[in-house]
Amino acid sequence: MATIFTRIIGGELPGRFVYRDEQCVAFLSINPLRPGHTLVVPRQEIDHWLDAPPELNAHLMAVAQKIGAAQMVAFNPVRIGLMIAGLEVPHLHIHVVPIWGVHDLDFANADPNPSTESLDDAAERLRQALGADASS
């Protein structure tokens, strides 16, 4: 059965995409830890990051770095947090989060019901900061 991320990538479920290429996509979390919280997800369904080929992991990290650089421009945080938790959805994904403190990486602080406007604004800010890198 397809994961929720595969369904988002395939267009079956909505997603606010900020980046796409042949190997992966990046879209906003629907329960963001902070505005701009983005997930970098391989198109291929791989449950655990340890099972991904090293080349794919390297590519995902390179894309996460692009997303993080765009988040620095768009949101001006103190740092960009990076996390591979892998417990919520059985599909490898990297959380890239603008942070002001370590508490910003606590899933207990996730916004369970962000407004459509705030998600749309964050996506647009990231797309603008990514520019030509938003889609290969």
Side-chain angles (χ1 to χ4, degrees):
M1 179 167 201
T3 70
I4 190 167
F5 290 160
T6 299
R7 295 173 67 199
I8 291 169
I9 293 166
E12 185 180 337
L13 296 173
R16 286 177 177 80
F17 291 87
V18 297
Y19 179 91
R20 300 173 201 248
D21 67 26
E22 294 90 25
Q23 296 181 68
C24 70
V25 300
F27 51 84
L28 292 187
S29 171
I30 60 169
N31 298 117
L33 296 172
R34 296 290 300 174
H37 177 179
T38 302
L39 305 176
V40 178
V41 184
R43 291 179 181 271
Q44 180 182 0
E45 283 187 17
I46 299 171
D47 181 13
H48 197 285
W49 70 274
L50 293 174
D51 296 329
E55 302 79 22
L56 178 59
N57 277 332
H59 181 72
L60 295 174
M61 288 302 290
V63 171
Q65 190 171 20
K66 285 182 188 182
I67 298 298
Q71 289 171 332
M72 287 297 289
V73 170
F75 301 100
N76 196 31
V78 173
R79 296 275 185 192
I80 300 299
L82 193 70
M83 187 173 14
I84 303 173
L87 297 171
E88 319 83 27
V89 177
H91 190 145
L92 168 58
H93 55 289
I94 300 173
H95 296 263
V96 187
V97 186
I99 61 172
W100 284 260
V102 70
H103 61 280
D104 290 330
L105 293 174
D106 184 344
F107 284 109
N109 297 326
D111 186 347
N113 194 23
S115 71
T116 299
E117 295 80 15
S118 68
L119 291 172
D120 289 343
D121 176 65
E124 186 54 34
R125 290 168 71 176
L126 279 173
R127 286 185 203 110
Q128 286 181 10
L130 283 163
D133 283 338
S135 178
S136 298

